Amino acid sequence: MPDDSAQAAPNPATDIITCDACPVLCRIRAGRTGACDRYGNLDGVLTRMDPFVVTQKVAERDGELVPFGEQVWDGSLISGAPTFVTGIGSGTTYPDYKPAPFIVASEHDGVDMVTVVSEAIFSYCGLKVKIDTDRFVGPETAAVRVAGEQVGHVTTAEYGSQMLSLGGVRHLTGGSKKEGTVTCDTMLALSNREAIEMTIDGGAELTVQAGKPPVIGGKLEERMRVGCGSATIGIFAKQWHGEADEVIVVDDHITGVLSEHQAGRFLDMKPAGLRVRGRRSTPGRYFQVAEPGTGWGGTDVTDPLTIIDKIDPKKAWPGLRLLMVSTTGEDAAFFVLDDDLEPQPTEMPDKLQVVVERIGENCEPALSTVIFMAGAGGSLRAGVTENPVRLTRSVRQALTRVTCGGAPVYVWPGGGITLMVDVTTMPEGSFGYVPTPAIVAPIEFTLRLDDYGKIGGHLDAVRKVEEIAGIERLKTVRWHARTDWPGAPLKTDRESAE
Ligand code: SF4
């Protein structure tokens, strides 16, 4: 059975065929592949070279489902098992008005469904990378570089995480050819869960890999902070009470001072008279106590006493017990004020050490998270329906489920079909590229068959799920049980697609 929608233009004289699955239009000799390695010339037939991935709900043992992709078996579908056709390896149609490579009818709980799958070519796509660390990686808006080329920038930090925005149409198409190529290679590797080394102008060298701890300046990051300095005080104030007269939690954004903080006041703590540097926001909460860096709490501080501006002799007293700690508990020191009100390093009392260790215990493992973001609201819709805006509306009405490699996606409100997906929820190796340059990603639209007709779907191209069993390069994998079955309707009680 022919299983590829791209059409080859054979040239009997030379055995060269032209791939028309993308605008590059590679001329491929017999036994060779085109520029993206996705298509090849096998005995004069244009062939998608990678397996076409289909997933099935199959109980492994005692009704337990094994993780998606863990078990692979060659060959045919398991008869009767719920089956979902992914876009992985399905191929691409070009120009877009041709029906998508696979439009497959199936049944879910007595409801006739259809899934339209394709390997979409995304010129408009990028990655949002979340790096769980409070260490300084670079100033906001600084260029992120790979092999010297700018592939993105540092964007707004989130709670306990530094954020990068990588890729996007401007880096793919708006700079030099090398910038576009390196950007595409970087996005492809990160999306396929490979490690990428990058540098940030005015910042750190990083190694980032989806689902793995980041490496910052050669150091493996292990802990994501428990919270900002103020939040850390809010959590642990009661546990410190009676064991220390003052606790300063050092943090690049909000450094907390316990006796001034509302938490200390609630505990009737006496003002300790220690004033930290920086700008006082509200009682016990200070901004900009130091510069960002890779020291204590994401600051450049290596000696915590440097953030103490002054000690008020009218309030402080000899013997005052001071704990200074970072928001991960990795750095901590204990001091006692001498007769001159100078902090003297002192061995940490056991009871305080327990709480410092508890800060570490409450940190989560630091990870890098890679979210693929792309616009599917453009011409690829023509492979689904002759009336593309109806597909967009049906997505908006939650009548059409959008998935990538079977993984759930978040679709942004507003116009278009702008989606985001965690690449670690997709099968490994889901992504490809074409040298235009652009990223190729699997996408599936699943809706009721009757709704598919109403939105102007390519009903003539619908084939039954049983018919795909004859495809030689089919790869069947077991479905994981972590997310909703992608072949189910989104709504049971619903409005019409019209
Ligand atoms: S880059 Fe790939 S998809 Fe595009 S024409 Fe060449 S072989 Fe075909």
Side-chain angles (χ1 to χ4, degrees), residues 168-224:
V169 70
R170 193 179 72 77
H171 291 298
L172 281 172
T173 69
S176 67
K177 185 175 180 187
K178 188 177 175 203
E179 179 179 329
T181 304
V182 173
T183 298
C184 187
D185 290 349
T186 300
M187 281 201 290
L188 178 64
L190 285 171
S191 299
N192 281 334
R193 305 189 219 173
E194 295 168 20
I196 284 285
E197 291 178 11
M198 53 187 80
T199 58
I200 296 175
D201 288 1
E205 291 182 5
L206 302 175
T207 302
V208 173
Q209 183 172 13
K212 303 282 186 198
V215 179
I216 302 165
K219 187 167 180 272
L220 189 77
E221 184 65 286
E222 291 176 356
R223 298 182 190 177
M224 178 182 186

Side-chain angles (χ1 to χ4, degrees), residues 227-304:
C228 70
S230 174
T232 306
I233 281 185
I235 296 169
F236 295 104
K238 211 169 168 186
Q239 299 178 41
W240 287 319
H241 188 44
E243 308 301 328
D245 301 304
E246 185 63 285
V247 178
I248 298 173
V249 183
V250 183
D251 178 45
D252 179 37
H253 303 128
I254 306 171
T255 287
V257 180
L258 175 60
S259 69
E260 276 185 49
H261 194 278
Q262 188 73 351
R265 291 187 179 187
F266 258 75
L267 294 167
D268 286 330
M269 286 188 73
K270 188 173 155 189
L274 276 66
R275 174 73 160 83
V276 299
R277 295 185 191 282
R279 181 158 65 83
R280 187 169 181 260
S281 161
T282 53
R285 299 169 72 255
Y286 289 82
F287 300 162
Q288 302 154 18
V289 297
E291 293 297 318
T294 54
W296 284 49
T299 68
D300 62 351
V301 165
T302 51
D303 173 3

